Amino acid sequence: MTIKDTPEEWEVRGTRTPFTGAKTSMRTDEVVMPDGSVSSRDYQVHPGSVAVLALDEQDRVLVIRQYRHPVRQRLWEIPAGLLDVPGENPLHAARRELYEEAHVKAEDWRVLTDVYTTPGGCDEAVRIFLARDLSEAEGERFEAEHEETDMELDRVPVGDLVRGVLAGELHNNCLVVGVLALVAARQSGEGLDALRPAQAPWPARPFAS
């Protein structure tokens, strides 16, 4: 048996949007169940995101520390951001986020993994990139605002991040998934160079190259 997620769409008898925010909204669908009954399903509609696991020559990951109000914590994360424009090329968005949040550029880009963050209550899809061959970006630094104004930046060895994840000390989903996927890719036998190319298709958020 092949273990692979597959597309499927159950009948929706009705839908409404009780809340619309600046970037996301809430939707309620009346979904027909396998037994013919109809049940309401509430979920957040999200444009999608990209995240960047930037790995330097000393095997350190570029991480940021930022306040996240919904969970009332300051979390260590990897650079990430929304796909602000429908159909936006995720690689272009990832390059932008790495520049804006860390003032860093990378020459080698690959897809590390694709995930749905909370498929039971949100349709957010995230593409996590691996970025290598890092260097300082040219030009002026991006002017931060809101939570990003006091954001901290550091480079942490991969091993320290793995220990933090397994100890329950690091919780950001993109950091957790990205770091563990990096370790798994290294141990797969094929190595990091066998990862998908940066422009690999992404059915969850189709884009133009």
Side-chain angles (χ1 to χ4, degrees):
M1 181 178 66
T2 301
I3 304 299
K4 181 179 180 180
D5 297 334
T6 56
E8 186 169 339
E9 188 168 353
W10 292 0
E11 180 185 353
V12 176
R13 292 277 175 85
T15 187
R16 59 190 178 89
T17 305
F19 170 79
T20 300
K23 298 292 185 180
T24 67
S25 61
M26 291 299 299
R27 181 177 296 166
T28 299
D29 287 345
E30 303 298 326
V31 185
V32 179
M33 298 291 116
D35 63 359
S37 63
V38 178
S39 295
S40 295
R41 291 293 178 264
D42 304 320
Y43 59 99
Q44 183 184 20
V45 178
H46 194 286
S49 307
V50 293
V52 184
L53 193 146
L55 187 68
D56 70 14
E57 295 179 352
Q58 299 178 50
D59 207 41
R60 301 176 303 175
V61 176
L62 192 155
V63 291
I64 58 178
R65 189 167 182 246
Q66 183 173 345
Y67 176 67
R68 292 301 188 183
H69 186 71
V71 296
R72 308 302 199 271
Q73 289 197 21
R74 189 180 291 269
L75 301 179
W76 285 103
E77 308 179 351
I78 57 176
L82 297 175
L83 292 168
D84 292 313
V85 180
E88 182 178 16
N89 187 302
L91 177 59
H92 298 170
R95 291 183 187 275
R96 180 186 68 238
E97 294 301 329
L98 186 60
Y99 164 75
E100 291 182 357
E101 296 191 352
H103 200 67
V104 166
K105 64 180 181 178
E107 298 302 324
D108 187 290
W109 289 84
R110 298 174 191 274
V111 175
L112 189 52
T113 191
D114 299 323
V115 296
Y116 291 114
T117 56
T118 319
C122 180
D123 71 351
E124 180 183 13
V126 181
R127 169 156 282 188
I128 304 176
F129 288 92
L130 172 66
R132 294 180 293 176
D133 193 5
L134 310 181
S135 61
E136 187 82 3
E138 296 90 359
E140 297 182 2
R141 286 186 172 272
F142 180 77
E143 187 174 348
E145 59 181 5
H146 306 307
E147 290 91 345
E148 296 180 351
T149 55
D150 69 342
M151 193 166 61
E152 301 173 48
L153 181 67
D154 205 347
R155 298 191 183 202
V156 178
V158 172
D160 290 352
L161 294 176
V162 172
R163 283 189 288 273
V165 168
L166 299 181
E169 298 169 349
L170 299 171
H171 306 90
N172 175 264
N173 58 352
C174 290
L175 184 147
V176 171
V177 172
V179 167
L180 297 185
L182 172 71
V183 173
R186 284 175 163 173
Q187 295 177 350
S188 68
E190 297 179 345
L192 300 182
D193 290 336
L195 290 169
R196 287 174 291 161
Q199 297 281 16
W202 189 17
R205 293 293 185 274
F207 62 92
S209 58

